[in-house]
Amino acid sequence: MQGGVLPFLKIMVVVNFTMMLLFACSREEEVTRPFGFSQPDDFPPATYNFSSNPVTEEGFELGRALFYDVRLSSDNTVSCGSCHVPEVSFADPIHRFSVGVGNQSGTRNAPALTNLAFRNFFMWDGGVNQLDFVPINAIESPVEMNIPLKNLVRKLNRLPDYPEKFGIVFGKDSIDSQQLLKALAQFQVMMVSSNAVYDQYREGKAVLTGAEMEGLTLFKQKCSGCHAGELFTDNYFHNNGLDAAFDNDSGRARITEFPGDAGKFLVPGLRNVALTAPYMHDGRFKTLMEVLDHYASGVKESTTLDPVLKQDDTIGIPLKDDEKDKIIAFLKTLTDRSFVGDLKFSDPN
């Protein structure tokens, strides 16, 4: 017996030692794997210029701290995270309009911040075309964070916890506005949502229900003209018939000063859309059903109405009640639980 047991023990020792080595190597690879942006295979190429601002773990964590820091506002009460909540894809689930310092209200709904690295335009009117400059609008807005950028930079330099962190990331002795904006961008470009049930279905890892499949077919037929591709947006501006006149908010025309852009707003991506109510640039719709009801029977005609909403003398998109239900069933498959539940995007405090 001893002659049979000892060789067996030797073999087990070798196997265990080999497994330990393999585990150690895999752990080392996991630890040393570069931190940074990962391009999803099915997505269009990222538009963000990573060569001018490569994402590092230290830069990401700095941007994360800044994103949730109320000290970025004039009265230390409002942060970026006040209007952009990670559990609902960085939208605002409570307010129709953004709420800033002194409980002041803005005029537009806070949009979700998903997949920003692939955008060509930002804000509902496309007034910014580079992600680095987006935070300036909220920071300097009198009804949001209400602090001039130069004053905020001065404030950050005086705080005990930021100069050293900025120095580690950017290698400079003092903080400037460029570093501030780049740090915030490093956090925001990592907000990539690409693991919804829909994505798992496309990869052959999940099965859609009959209603979800029918909803997908209907969506392609009736909605994909504007909500195109894997980001579910054409990244452009359309008048979707919310109003017949645009005295309160002319949309894209506020930027271009071209009358033909009146009432046009940037088409939002639809990933996690079931979580991001209220909807539209002014948050007028509380549910997805209200959105579809608008397209079916609420579209208002105007000179800039998108042609897709006026075909053969028909205004809007013909939708039966059961078709609306099926489209909503599909839209719910765009919810990415791994993204909205990812703790690396949560408030670090």
Side-chain angles (χ1 to χ4, degrees), residues 208-342:
L208 300 187
T209 67
E212 291 166 350
M213 283 297 298
E214 291 183 56
L216 171 56
T217 299
L218 287 165
F219 180 88
K220 289 179 177 179
Q221 293 171 350
K222 298 176 180 288
C223 312
S224 62
C226 295
H227 294 286
E230 294 308 302
L231 298 177
F232 297 92
T233 173
D234 64 357
N235 274 311
Y236 209 61
F237 307 88
H238 300 271
N239 174 358
N240 63 344
L242 292 174
D243 300 294
F246 316 105
D247 297 332
N248 293 330
D249 193 340
S250 61
R252 182 64 173 163
R254 293 173 67 174
I255 305 301
T256 64
E257 299 183 349
F258 173 56
D261 284 336
K264 295 182 179 181
F265 293 88
L266 185 63
V267 175
L270 297 184
R271 287 183 172 272
N272 302 301
V273 68
L275 306 177
T276 61
Y279 304 104
M280 303 299 169
H281 70 278
D282 57 3
R284 70 177 65 186
F285 299 135
K286 296 179 180 179
T287 67
L288 288 173
M289 184 58 75
E290 289 183 17
V291 172
L292 294 182
D293 286 343
H294 160 71
Y295 284 115
S297 58
V299 172
K300 296 179 176 63
E301 189 171 4
S302 66
T303 56
T304 61
L305 179 66
D306 197 279
V308 76
L309 296 174
K310 186 179 179 180
Q311 297 186 25
D312 301 324
D313 295 324
T314 298
I315 302 296
I317 301 173
L319 285 169
K320 300 176 183 177
D321 288 345
D322 68 315
E323 291 179 326
K324 298 174 190 175
D325 291 334
K326 290 171 183 176
I327 290 174
I328 291 173
F330 164 69
L331 291 175
K332 290 180 178 179
T333 72
L334 301 180
T335 300
D336 182 350
R337 295 293 176 185
S338 63
F339 172 69
V340 298
D342 194 334

Side-chain angles (χ1 to χ4, degrees), residues 84-141:
H84 298 285
V85 181
E87 291 81 6
V88 289
S89 200
F90 294 95
D92 186 342
I94 299 175
H95 305 105
R96 178 177 174 181
F97 302 118
S98 298
V99 176
V101 297
N103 205 35
Q104 296 182 87
S105 178
T107 59
R108 290 176 177 171
N109 179 253
L113 299 183
T114 311
N115 295 325
L116 300 176
F118 306 93
R119 302 264 187 97
N120 297 310
F121 299 100
F122 302 89
M123 320 300 287
W124 284 106
D125 55 20
V128 181
N129 59 14
Q130 286 193 47
L131 178 60
D132 291 3
F133 302 129
V134 171
I136 299 175
N137 291 268
I139 290 170
E140 296 198 331
S141 169

